[in-house]
């Protein structure tokens, strides 16, 4: 499909979506009977195909997706004509871009110092191909989820070769097929007390601060096409702690950029909290500071934690949706924000329901509801909050071959005023037989 056909398809699908939603609330005589919200059926509104997150994202040129567990995907069912598995169907329908939640980490890929296990990651790429999805790589260098043998085997003598070989082998294997690589993850940690504010990670202890630059150089060599990303957390808020960390992350990126290190993007993890302070002006300024360096920004691990929010499922859902709405409408107007991924797709499988850490457990013992789909794979209020944010916070994609009319031909009036979609129930009727 060429660009023009794609734009047309998206436009047609968009009309279909407006039409089906409107029809839902009308009886046979075309009188509105109730809104879906009135009768509590919001979750039965269409949410797949033209109504999915991936198509709404595509309409505004934004790859939208999620972290996946490749082992859970029913690839053989899909290849045999279509899987009935809800996880598989939801990932397929909703995601235009995927990232492995754990499968690409050292602990998954490296059973021993001289072996690699690519079973899960090869499957991830096969699934992505089957579902026409982009793939993010996560991650090549991190202080966590290192294999057990690492602590006893890695030394100052072999650490450089261990790191560069790993990057060459892993990024090299999938070269040309990766949208972006999280080359270094979470390297800034002010409480460790270093003047450069870098984390005292095993990599830093073994190699010194140059390990970051080394990792980016190796990744650029192994996969010249992937956008090389620095990814970090707790840089979203305007609290004193996060303002300080965000400043240090910016300094790190500026240092790397100034030294000519191949870095193309910053990942903002975006593990947000339902209550307490929310992201604001400081984050927007950070995104613009990153843009000034010519770098993209990806929202890499979005979810909303309700561990300290009192109230039942509805209270959680509304609070979570409000955070999605506030956050996405804050960051999406920034044109260098180029991808949005949630950390999982359904509450049925999220680290916040799998972890036993105090920051994940609710005092009432209830499950968390951090993702766009609930435990039963029905869209949650967060799904609609995301979709609306894509619709309203970004400019639709305009195909190259359609030029804007000169100013004198532009219609007068408010360009942002609501307008009816031709063919939708509220639109003026076309004369009979006209096309
Ligand atoms: C988490 C996974 O979701 C868990 O399953 C695993 O046990 C621990 O790691 N920041 C990151 C991710 O960069 O890799 C982490 O993923 C979540 C925090």
């Amino acid at each position: 499909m060429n660009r023009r056909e794609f734009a047309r398809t998206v436009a047609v699908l968009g009309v279909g979506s407006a039409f089906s939603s409107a029809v839902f609330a009308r009886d046979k005589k075309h009188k509105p009977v109730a809104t879906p919200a009135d009768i509590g059926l919001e979750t039965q509104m269409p949410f797949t195909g033209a109504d999915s997150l991936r198509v709404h994202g595509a309409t505004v040129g934004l790859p939208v997706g999620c972290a996946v567990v490749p082992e859970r995907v029913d690839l053989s069912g899909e290849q045999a004509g279509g899987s009935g598995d809800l996880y598989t169907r939801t990932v397929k329908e909703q995601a235009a871009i995927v990232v492995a939640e754990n499968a690409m980490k050292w602990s998954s890929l490296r059973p021993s110092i001289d072996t690699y296990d690519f079973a899960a990651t090869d499957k991830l790429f096969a699934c992505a191909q089957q579902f026409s999805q982009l793939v993010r790589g996560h991650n090549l260098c991190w202080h966590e989820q290192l294999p057990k043998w690492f602590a006893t085997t890695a030394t100052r003598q072999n650490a450089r070769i261990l790191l560069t070989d790993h990057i060459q082998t892993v990024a090299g294997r999938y070269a040309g097929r990766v949208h972006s690589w999280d080359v270094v993850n979470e390297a800034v940690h002010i409480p460790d007390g270093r003047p450069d504010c870098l984390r005292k990670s095993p990599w830093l202890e073994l190699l010194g601060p140059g390990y970051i630059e080394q990792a980016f150089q190796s990744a650029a060599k192994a996969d010249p096409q992937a956008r090389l990303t620095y990814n970090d957390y707790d840089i979203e808020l305007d609290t004193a702690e996060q303002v300080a960390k965000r400043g240090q992350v910016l300094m790190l990126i500026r240092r790397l950029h100034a030294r000519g290190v191949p870095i193309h993007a910053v990942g903002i993890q975006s593990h947000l909290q339902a209550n307490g302070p929310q992201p604001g002006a400081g984050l927007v300024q950070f995104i613009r500071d990153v843009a000034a360096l010519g770098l993209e920004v990806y929202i890499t691990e979005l979810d909303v934690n309700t561990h300290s929010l009192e109230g039942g499922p509805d209270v959680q859902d509304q609070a979570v949706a409000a955070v999605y709405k506030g956050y996405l409408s804050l960051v999406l107007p920034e044109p260098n924000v180029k991808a949005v991924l949630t950390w999982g797709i359904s509450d049925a499988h999220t680290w916040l329901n799998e972890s036993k850490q105090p920051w994940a457990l609710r005092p009432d013992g209830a499950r968390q509801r951090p993702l766009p789909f609930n435990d039963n794979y029905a869209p949650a209020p967060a799904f609609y909050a995301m979709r609306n944010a894509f619709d309203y916070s970004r400019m639709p994609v305009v195909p190259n071959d359609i030029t804007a009319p000169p100013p004198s031909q532009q219609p007068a009036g408010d360009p942002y005023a609501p307008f009816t979609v031709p063919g939708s129930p509220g639109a003026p009727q076309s004369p009979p037989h006209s096309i």
Side-chain angles (χ1 to χ4, degrees), residues 101-102 105 138 142 145 185-186 269 271 301 343 351:
E101 183 174 351
N102 289 301
K105 296 172 181 173
H138 174 81
W142 190 26
Q145 290 181 271
N185 199 29
E186 305 181 351
Q269 290 188 8
H271 294 293
E301 305 183 14
W343 204 239
W351 69 317

Side-chain angles (χ1 to χ4, degrees), residues 67-410:
V68 298
V69 178
E71 294 89 334
R72 288 193 203 282
V73 179
D74 178 17
L75 179 59
S76 46
E78 271 301 317
Q79 286 166 338
S83 173
D85 173 61
L86 283 174
Y87 180 81
T88 306
R89 279 168 51 175
T90 310
V91 168
K92 169 186 170 178
E93 283 280 352
Q94 304 297 333
I97 182 165
V98 290
V99 61
E101 183 174 351
N102 289 301
M104 278 201 180
K105 296 172 181 173
W106 275 66
S107 53
S108 306
L109 287 176
R110 303 297 301 274
S112 70
I113 188 165
D114 47 14
T115 55
Y116 288 81
D117 179 355
F118 286 116
T121 43
D122 284 353
K123 182 174 176 190
L124 175 78
F125 279 88
C127 295
Q129 190 171 9
Q130 177 82 17
F131 301 156
S132 307
Q133 292 163 329
L134 302 171
V135 178
R136 298 202 71 243
H138 174 81
N139 55 58
L140 293 169
C141 183
W142 190 26
H143 64 285
E144 280 188 28
Q145 290 181 271
L146 287 163
K148 285 211 180 68
W149 55 261
F150 188 91
T152 50
T153 319
T155 63
R156 282 175 194 207
Q157 284 67 45
N158 68 10
R160 184 172 300 278
I161 202 85
L162 260 179
L163 180 64
T164 53
D165 274 1
H166 179 88
I167 293 176
Q168 187 57 49
T169 308
V170 177
R173 183 177 183 91
Y174 301 112
R177 301 166 70 191
V178 175
H179 165 275
S180 51
W181 262 113
D182 288 337
V183 178
V184 175
N185 199 29
E186 305 181 351
V188 171
H189 194 52
I190 298 175
D192 280 354
R194 287 175 53 92
D196 58 10
C197 294
L198 292 180
R199 183 187 294 275
K200 288 183 179 166
S201 80
W203 293 113
L204 184 126
E205 309 273 23
L206 293 167
L207 293 172
Y211 85 90
I212 298 176
E213 188 165 333
Q214 182 71 62
F216 277 93
Q217 298 288 10
S218 302
K221 220 167 119 195
D223 185 352
Q225 276 161 272
R227 277 159 274 199
L228 305 184
T229 306
Y230 174 78
N231 193 47
D232 216 330
Y233 70 103
D234 278 1
I235 54 172
E236 296 84 10
L237 304 182
D238 287 340
T239 59
E241 212 177 298
Q242 296 205 14
V243 166
K245 180 166 179 180
R246 189 163 61 221
Q248 292 302 326
V249 167
L250 186 60
M251 300 252 273
L252 169 64
I253 291 156
R254 282 191 176 141
R255 287 200 299 271
L256 294 170
H257 186 256
R259 288 173 56 78
V261 174
I263 174 169
H264 311 114
V266 177
I268 302 173
Q269 290 188 8
S270 313
H271 294 293
L272 304 177
Q273 301 288 326
N275 44 347
Q278 293 300 316
L283 181 65
V284 173
Q285 188 56 52
F286 173 79
I287 294 171
R288 292 179 185 173
D289 290 340
V290 169
L293 300 172
L295 271 60
E296 298 189 333
V297 166
Y298 311 132
I299 306 302
T300 50
E301 305 183 14
L302 180 57
D303 58 11
V304 182
N305 189 328
T306 49
H307 80 283
S308 63
L309 179 78
E310 284 179 24
D314 288 348
V315 173
Q316 283 194 65
D317 279 352
Q318 293 311 322
V320 167
V323 173
Y324 273 93
K325 178 180 176 182
Y327 190 62
L328 291 175
S329 53
L330 184 74
V331 301
L332 290 183
E334 300 307 312
N336 63 324
V337 173
K338 294 287 194 196
V340 173
L341 292 95
T342 49
W343 204 239
I345 191 70
S346 148
D347 300 336
H349 300 294
T350 152
W351 69 317
L352 295 178
N353 281 329
E354 282 152 14
S355 170
K356 299 281 170 274
Q357 297 289 334
W359 46 258
L361 291 177
R362 291 174 55 84
D364 63 5
R367 287 171 66 77
Q368 293 218 33
R369 309 168 70 85
L371 290 168
F373 286 81
N374 69 20
D375 279 330
N376 301 319
Y377 291 89
F383 168 91
Y384 298 99
M386 289 184 79
R387 216 174 56 174
N388 285 342
F390 302 143
D391 292 351
Y392 297 117
S393 301
R394 294 283 275 219
M395 294 301 282
V397 180
V398 179
N400 277 337
D401 51 353
I402 297 178
T403 47
S408 60
Q409 290 175 27
Q410 278 172 7

